[in-house]
């Protein structure tokens, strides 16, 4: 059977890196996108190749239309196809709403929302021509419930949820599935600023008694991109240990 290709945005670190490694382990060719962390993207590709997998790395800021266009071109040149897109790249910021600058707002929406728009729009036409494809967007539980001191992040992640549902309706007739994972608190650099005490409180507030790991999210994304989930589209799956139920 022909090897499938997955493009994972923001795969140099954290959740995206784990997604890239898990897809590689499961026989996919992996395109590892990064923006600033070139060395970490290199080590992700090295790790995959050392385990016998196939991967390439491509630097691109997902919010930059030209860089995204060039990235997609490179993936096509190397792998010939993109079967699965994981829109994972994202930034977070904690600030009182009244302290947010216009630039804070713009950065948040540029990367977390415009980035999803740019990469998806670049990848979709060939998927529509092939009448197959799978897109998984990474939102956040805060996009579902809203978080204090993260109004811009919550609003951006809510936009990803609306994007997912609308696009799923539009491209369903082309046999393209579009789903979304809304993670809870996951142990990555994004949460480095949280104190040990805050982490402890978060664990206590979570029915499953722990915060999540990148692997928790990667396994779910792998499932959503697989044949096993072929009748799922437009779904928002919250993976938060029960924190928001
Ligand atoms: P992370 O460890 O901070 O990693 C973020 C990744 O996004 C990095 O690989 C980074 O690449 C990439 N990135 C940032 N800006 C980019 C841009 N303009 N273009 C391309 N890539 C860019 O964060 P994470 O925790 O793994 O988060 C991954 C996703 O999960 C995000 O969408 C985040 O909002 C979501 N999420 C995380 C949590 C959590 O608790 N960790 C919870 C809910 C949702 P470079 O380093 O190469 O720039």
């Amino acid at each position: 059977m022909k090897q499938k290709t997955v493009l994972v945005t923001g795969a140099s670190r954290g959740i995206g890196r784990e997604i890239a490694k898990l897809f590689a382990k499961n026989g996919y060719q992996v395109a590892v996108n990064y923006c600033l962390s070139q060395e970490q993207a290199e080590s992700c590709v090295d790790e995959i190749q050392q385990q016998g997998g196939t991967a390439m790395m491509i630097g691109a800021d997902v919010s930059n239309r030209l860089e995204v266009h060039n990235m997609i071109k490179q993936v096509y040149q190397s792998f010939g196809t993109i079967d699965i897109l994981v829109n994972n790249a994202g930034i977070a910021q904690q600030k009182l709403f009244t302290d947010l600058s216009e630039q804070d707002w713009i950065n948040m929406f540029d990367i977390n929302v415009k980035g999803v728009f740019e990469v998806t729009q670049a990848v979709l036409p060939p998927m529509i021509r092939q009448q197959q494809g799978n897109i998984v967007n990474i939102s956040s539980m805060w996009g579902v419930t809203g978080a204090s001191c993260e109004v811009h992040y919550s609003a951006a992640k809510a936009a990803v949820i609306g994007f997912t549902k609308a696009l799923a309706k539009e491209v369903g007739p082309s046999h393209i599935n579009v789903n979304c994972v809304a993670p809870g608190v996951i142990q990555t650099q994004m949460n480095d600023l949280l104190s040990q005490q805050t982490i402890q409180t978060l664990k206590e507030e979570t029915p499953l008694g722990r915060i999540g790991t990148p692997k928790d999210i990667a396994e779910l994304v792998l499932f959503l991109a697989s044949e096993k989930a072929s009748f799922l589209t437009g779904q928002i799956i919250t993976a938060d240990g029960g924190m928001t139920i």
Side-chain angles (χ1 to χ4, degrees):
M1 207 169 63
K2 198 172 145 276
Q3 204 178 8
K4 286 191 171 180
T5 299
V6 59
L7 166 62
V8 185
T9 67
S12 48
R13 300 184 280 119
I15 294 170
R17 185 186 178 105
E18 199 64 32
I19 293 170
K21 284 175 10 188
L22 189 66
F23 272 84
K25 212 184 261 181
N26 281 271
Y28 293 80
Q29 307 186 112
V30 185
V32 171
N33 159 253
Y34 70 96
C35 184
L36 301 175
S37 308
Q38 185 176 346
E39 269 182 33
Q40 294 185 64
E42 268 164 14
S43 84
C44 178
V45 169
D46 283 350
E47 218 179 297
I48 288 172
Q49 289 173 344
Q50 273 163 25
Q51 290 175 1
T54 309
M56 66 179 288
M57 59 183 259
I58 331 109
D61 174 346
V62 291
S63 67
N64 182 312
R65 196 171 177 84
L66 186 62
E67 288 184 27
V68 167
H69 179 82
N70 288 335
M71 166 170 74
I72 302 305
K73 217 167 121 184
Q74 282 181 58
V75 180
Y76 267 91
Q77 277 165 359
S78 297
F79 291 153
T81 174
I82 298 176
D83 304 284
I84 297 148
L85 165 64
V86 183
N87 280 311
N88 163 81
I91 55 166
Q93 187 186 38
Q94 287 162 351
K95 252 188 181 183
L96 276 177
F97 179 70
T98 45
D99 289 343
L100 283 180
S101 67
E102 187 184 13
Q103 199 55 51
D104 288 333
W105 184 270
I106 289 170
N107 290 346
M108 189 60 71
F109 273 74
D110 264 1
I111 296 173
N112 290 0
V113 186
K114 184 169 179 276
V116 174
F117 159 70
E118 295 294 358
V119 184
T120 306
Q121 204 182 44
V123 160
L124 258 177
M127 283 186 177
I128 292 170
R129 276 196 298 278
Q130 288 164 25
Q131 291 286 292
Q132 67 161 38
N134 199 306
I135 299 171
V136 182
N137 298 320
I138 308 297
S139 173
S140 163
M141 66 177 173
W142 301 135
V144 180
T145 66
S148 165
C149 296
E150 293 191 64
V151 171
H152 56 340
Y153 181 74
S154 303
K157 289 303 189 179
V160 172
I161 291 173
F163 177 102
T164 301
K165 291 182 178 177
L167 190 67
K169 287 185 179 163
E170 190 168 320
V171 300
S174 298
H175 313 289
I176 298 167
N177 301 56
V178 189
N179 289 294
C180 177
V181 175
V185 183
I186 308 297
Q187 211 161 8
T188 69
Q189 252 171 280
M190 193 169 267
N191 291 316
D192 271 358
L193 292 178
L194 299 181
S195 68
Q196 276 313 309
Q197 197 188 335
T198 307
I199 296 278
Q200 188 52 37
T201 310
L202 288 167
K203 285 181 185 169
E204 285 160 15
E205 284 171 0
T206 304
L208 287 179
R210 65 175 178 90
I211 63 168
T213 64
K215 188 155 188 295
D216 290 324
I217 305 305
E219 291 286 1
L220 182 53
V221 173
L222 181 71
F223 166 72
L224 286 173
S226 75
E227 274 302 306
K228 291 176 187 165
S230 64
F231 202 49
L232 291 189
T233 199
Q235 298 306 303
I236 314 304
I237 303 185
T238 303
D240 66 353
M243 194 173 183
T244 58
I245 49 176

